Amino acid sequence: MLKKCPFCETYNKNFESFGFDFPILKKLNVIGGGKRENAKCPKCFSIDRERLIYLYLNQFTKIFTDSLDVLHIAPEKRLREKIELNKNINYTTADLYKNFVDINFDLCNIPLEDNSFDIIICNHVLEHIVEDKKAMKELKRILKPEGIAILQVPFSRLLEKTYENKTILSEKEREIHFGQNDHVRIYGIDYLRRLENVGFIVEEFKWIEHKEFTIEDYAINKEEPIFIVKNK
């Protein structure tokens, strides 16, 4: 069966593999991490987790049509290009270091007003941040009362409790323990509780429960849910 990339709209029998192959990722079956088959589009190079977010936004939000305030942290190229097609949108991109975004800031100290955004996209970022609770609180602060934030992370359902160790500092040790040299933890199933503890309402959106299209059509990871949070 041919797979379609929703970004470049090409069809391919197989997508390319993508991701790291460190033993800890396989041992803990880290969802959204590790080496995945059929993950990267051979034409536009979009990866599975970028397509995942795009398909959700396209099917279940009005980000591509309405006048909304949107913050996109560490913006993925293809997703950014799609969002920018909506000329009604007030779209802000941000990153800690990159120079192709609108604003640079530390996620633990966001220099933006309270209740600023209808939608926040933060895709596979929190696993890089030592003080992730501070970052979650900041994201909650700038989210509008009726807004939503998409806060994806790699995580393991085999871990009851998130694995982290602040004494592990070297890139080599982080690869061994966390599966990537700039990650500082592997989230467990308590990730949802961490979000709830800062005051979010958390929804775990699963594609398998929706029939708008099949997962295989777009080569996205059927095991990866989308973590959607709202303010209480």
Side-chain angles (χ1 to χ4, degrees):
M1 182 180 70
L2 292 177
K3 301 171 179 64
K4 181 182 179 181
C5 175
F7 290 112
C8 63
E9 298 187 343
T10 58
Y11 289 86
N12 298 276
K13 184 177 181 181
N14 293 297
F15 282 31
E16 298 173 3
S17 61
F18 181 83
F20 296 101
D21 201 20
F22 294 108
I24 190 66
L25 298 172
K26 184 177 291 186
K27 178 182 177 182
L28 294 177
N29 188 28
V30 175
I31 299 168
K35 190 171 184 179
R36 287 104 60 203
E37 299 302 320
N38 285 311
K40 185 168 75 170
C41 173
K43 182 175 181 180
C44 73
F45 311 119
S46 69
I47 60 173
D48 50 354
R49 65 194 190 203
E50 185 179 3
R51 294 191 298 275
L52 178 76
I53 299 304
Y54 170 66
L55 291 167
Y56 174 81
L57 290 170
N58 192 41
Q59 291 280 338
F60 299 102
T61 76
K62 297 181 178 179
I63 193 172
F64 298 109
T65 58
D66 287 11
S67 179
L68 299 171
D69 297 305
V70 177
L71 175 65
H72 194 174
I73 298 164
E76 301 88 346
K77 182 178 183 293
R78 277 73 43 173
L79 183 54
R80 177 179 184 168
E81 290 171 350
K82 286 287 189 182
I83 295 173
E84 286 176 332
L85 292 175
N86 178 7
K87 302 306 180 183
N88 298 316
I89 206 167
N90 180 19
Y91 182 50
T92 304
T93 58
D95 194 274
L96 180 59
Y97 299 116
K98 298 292 192 303
N99 59 10
F100 56 79
V101 297
D102 297 314
I103 184 171
N104 298 110
F105 59 66
D106 181 344
L107 208 58
C108 295
N109 186 23
I110 300 175
L112 299 171
E113 297 292 326
D114 295 2
N115 307 321
S116 294
F117 297 98
D118 298 291
I119 298 177
I120 298 173
I121 306 165
C122 185
N123 193 11
H124 287 251
V125 175
L126 290 170
E127 66 273 16
H128 297 267
I129 298 174
V130 175
E131 300 296 336
D132 65 333
K133 185 176 180 179
K134 286 184 179 180
M136 292 173 187
K137 286 182 176 180
E138 281 289 86
L139 291 168
K140 184 179 185 301
R141 179 182 64 79
I142 64 171
L143 185 65
K144 291 183 181 180
E146 302 302 319
I148 66 167
I150 297 174
L151 305 181
Q152 297 298 99
V153 295
F155 77 107
S156 171
R157 294 195 189 277
L158 300 180
L159 289 175
E160 291 287 335
K161 184 178 180 181
T162 293
Y163 171 55
E164 53 192 339
N165 184 336
K166 292 183 180 179
T167 68
I168 298 172
L169 300 175
S170 75
E171 292 186 353
K172 183 63 177 178
E173 286 296 301
R174 284 179 172 174
E175 288 177 351
I176 293 170
H177 286 266
F178 308 130
Q180 194 165 314
N181 62 26
D182 56 353
H183 285 192
V184 297
R185 67 181 60 81
I186 296 177
Y187 284 102
I189 58 176
D190 63 333
Y191 175 58
L192 280 70
R193 188 164 64 251
R194 285 183 173 223
L195 294 169
E196 290 169 345
N197 286 344
V198 302
F200 281 126
I201 299 170
V202 185
E203 175 188 348
E204 187 177 347
F205 179 94
K206 299 177 182 177
W207 283 115
I208 199 169
E209 297 171 359
H210 297 266
K211 307 300 181 183
E212 285 76 9
F213 51 81
T214 64
I215 292 166
E216 290 78 10
D217 288 342
Y218 296 100
I220 59 176
N221 185 351
K222 65 182 179 181
E223 293 186 6
E224 184 170 6
I226 300 178
F227 297 112
I228 302 157
V229 302
K230 303 175 182 178
N231 279 326
K232 289 183 178 179

